[in-house]
Amino acid sequence: MSTTEKQDVFPWRSAFEVGIGSIDEQHKKLVDLINALATQTIYGDGPVDADAIFDELVSYADFHFSDEEAVWRSALAGDGWLTGHQESHLEFVTKISSIRKIYLENKSDAAIDDVLSFLTRWLALHILESDQRLATAVLAVRSGKSREDAKVIAEQKMTGAMRMLIETILSMYENLSSRTLNLMREVHNRQKAEEALEMLSRKLTDSNTDFQRFAYIASHDLQEPLRMVTSYLGLLEKRHGTVFDDEGREFLHYATDGAQRMSQQIHDLLDYARVESQGRELDPIETTSVMDEALANLSITIAETGCNIEVEQKEFPVVLGDRGQLVRVFQNLIGNAIKYRDSSRPTVIRVEVERSGDEWVFAVGDNGIGIAPEYFERIFMIFQRLHGQAEYKGTGIGLAIVKRIVERHGGRIWVESEPGKGAKFFFTLPDDTAVSTQAQHPSQDQLQI
C-alpha cells in the first residue's frame, strides 16, 4: 500500500464496537484494509496490486469468520441466528471471489472500486445489524440470561427507530462513498497534472477550464444525494428522536456531522475552482485597505481571543490585484494564525511587507504552535490537514485556495516555522509597474460556475 496519508472512506467510530474485544479488533483491521485500499486507489502512482489485496481479504476472512463464529457458537450453537450469520460470511467470500475473477479477466480498475463499494456497505451492515444483535445476545447469556431471554433483549435493541437509523446510514454510505472516492481521485490527479506542467505554462488555461467544469459537475452530482441524506436525517430526528437510546442518538450525530462536513468540502472545492473562472480584472489596489478589510472581517474573533495584531508599516504598497481575492489571502493567513495559537502564551501576530527586486514580499508571522518542516509543502495541497476535526475544525483547503490566488496574481507563497515557535507565511506580489502586462482575466467563453 502507498505510504500516503490514509483516507478514511469508512471512518471507525467507537459506537461501532460490539463490546467483545477480539471481534472489535478484527473489525478495525478490515476497516484499515478498506481505507488503505482507498488511499492506494486515490494516490497510488502505479497500478494497484490487486492480487495482494484479494489475498489479504481472503486471509482475513478465513481467520476472522472462524474466530467470530466460535464466539457466537459458545452461546447460540444450533440457533437460526447463527445460521443466518454464517450465510452472510459465505456471501462475503463469494462476492470477493466473483470480483477477483472479473479483475483477472479484464484487469479493470472498476473491479477495485467494486471491492470498495461492496466492503463498505457489507461491513456497515455486518457490524451495525448482525454483529450488534449477536454480540448483545452473547453478552446477555454470559451475564446469566437464558438464550431466549438474551435473544429478546437483542431483538429489542435492534427494532424500531434503531433499524431506521441503520438504513439511513447505509443509504448515506451507498450514495456517497463511491462518488467521494472518485472526486478525491480526480482532484489528486488534477493536482499532479498541474505540478508537472507548471514550468511550461503557469496558467494551465485548458487544464483549469477542464477542472472547473469537472468541479461544477461533480459538486452537483454529490449535492443531490447529500441533500436527500440530510433531509431524511432531519426528518428522522424530528419524528423519532425521542425513541433513540444514547447509542442511537450518537449514530444520528455521526451521520449528521458527516453530511455537514461533506457539504462544506463541496462548497470549498467550488471556491477552489472559481479562483480562475470568477476572478475579477486585476486593477491597482491599495493593500493597506485590503488588510484593513480583512482585519475588520476578523474583528470579533480577534476581540474574543485577545490576539495582538501588529502592523509594521503604516502604508502598504499599491499592486495590481483582485481586491476580493487579496482580502481572502490576508484574512485566511491571519485567521489561521489565530486558530493555531498557543494557549500557553499571549498571541502576537505581526504583518509586514518589504520590497525585493521587482516584487513585494508580504509576511504574516505568529507565535503559535508552529509547523514541522516535513509538512511545509503538504499544507498547501487541497484537502490536506495536519490535525483532526476534534482539535481544529476545517476542510484543509484554505491554504490551497490562498496559493491558487497568489499564483493567479503572479506571485509565490511559502512558510518558515519550527514546532512550538510559531510560523511565518510569506507571499509575493509583483510591483504594480511590473505586473501590468501579466494581468490575467478569464476569457468570455470560459466556464462560469
Side-chain angles (χ1 to χ4, degrees), residues 5-253:
E5 176 82 356
K6 184 176 67 177
Q7 296 297 317
D8 289 336
V9 173
F10 189 102
W12 178 267
R13 305 288 191 184
S14 60
F16 293 159
E17 295 175 358
V18 301
I20 299 176
S22 62
I23 294 176
D24 287 331
E25 287 302 315
Q26 292 165 29
H27 286 162
K28 289 178 184 177
K29 181 179 178 181
L30 183 54
V31 169
D32 285 340
L33 179 60
I34 293 173
N35 290 326
L37 176 57
T39 299
Q40 175 63 40
T41 303
I42 296 168
Y43 293 112
D45 293 328
V48 178
D49 188 354
D51 286 334
I53 292 170
F54 287 120
D55 287 341
E56 193 167 355
L57 285 171
V58 171
S59 175
Y60 167 84
D62 287 341
F63 172 78
H64 170 61
F65 293 165
S66 175
D67 185 68
E68 186 181 79
E69 289 172 12
V71 174
W72 306 148
R73 198 180 301 114
S74 67
L76 300 170
D79 193 274
W81 279 15
L82 182 57
T83 302
H85 197 74
Q86 289 169 332
E87 291 175 355
S88 175
H89 288 171
L90 180 61
E91 175 198 7
F92 179 98
V93 175
T94 301
K95 182 67 174 180
I96 294 299
S97 298
S98 173
I99 296 175
R100 182 175 199 167
K101 181 179 179 181
I102 293 173
Y103 179 83
L104 292 176
E105 290 175 353
N106 303 322
K107 296 294 182 180
S108 170
D109 288 341
I112 305 301
D113 290 347
D114 287 344
V115 170
L116 280 170
S117 178
F118 168 73
L119 288 178
T120 300
R121 182 173 176 80
W122 184 90
L123 183 56
L125 180 61
H126 190 69
I127 293 177
L128 294 175
E129 177 77 21
S130 185
D131 281 352
Q132 289 282 3
R133 179 189 287 106
L134 287 168
T136 301
V138 168
L139 292 173
V141 169
R142 290 180 178 178
S143 70
K145 302 290 185 182
S146 68
R147 177 185 293 187
E148 292 306 313
D149 287 344
K151 290 177 65 176
V152 170
I153 293 171
E155 195 62 48
Q156 288 175 343
K157 180 178 180 180
M158 301 305 298
T159 55
M162 178 61 73
R163 285 193 178 180
M164 292 178 63
L165 180 58
I166 288 171
E167 286 303 314
T168 300
I169 293 173
L170 291 176
S171 175
M172 180 177 69
Y173 277 116
E174 185 174 27
N175 281 317
L176 300 180
S177 63
S178 62
R179 288 186 174 94
T180 302
L181 182 65
N182 290 334
L183 177 60
M184 294 172 70
R185 181 194 295 129
E186 182 66 19
V187 168
H188 176 68
N189 289 340
R190 291 288 176 184
Q191 281 187 283
K192 292 178 65 177
E194 287 187 2
E195 291 170 1
L197 294 173
E198 188 174 7
M199 295 181 64
L200 299 176
S201 174
R202 196 172 184 86
K203 299 313 296 178
L204 296 175
T205 303
D206 293 338
S207 178
N208 283 335
T209 300
D210 289 343
F211 175 65
Q212 292 152 18
R213 183 177 292 110
F214 157 76
Y216 175 76
I217 294 172
S219 67
H220 282 263
D221 190 33
L222 284 169
Q223 284 285 14
E224 190 55 39
L226 184 60
R227 289 191 191 98
M228 182 176 64
V229 169
T230 304
S231 176
Y232 277 104
L233 284 172
L235 188 62
L236 183 64
E237 182 176 21
K238 180 178 180 181
R239 292 186 178 180
H240 305 283
T242 59
V243 182
F244 295 148
D245 58 11
D246 290 342
E247 185 179 46
R249 284 189 289 272
E250 187 174 8
F251 275 128
L252 185 60
H253 169 74

Side-chain angles (χ1 to χ4, degrees), residues 312-331:
E312 294 299 301
Q313 288 83 7
K314 291 184 178 180
E315 293 294 331
F316 276 40
V318 174
V319 300
L320 286 182
D322 178 328
R323 181 182 180 83
Q325 290 188 344
L326 292 182
V327 168
R328 184 164 192 169
V329 170
F330 279 102
Q331 186 170 327

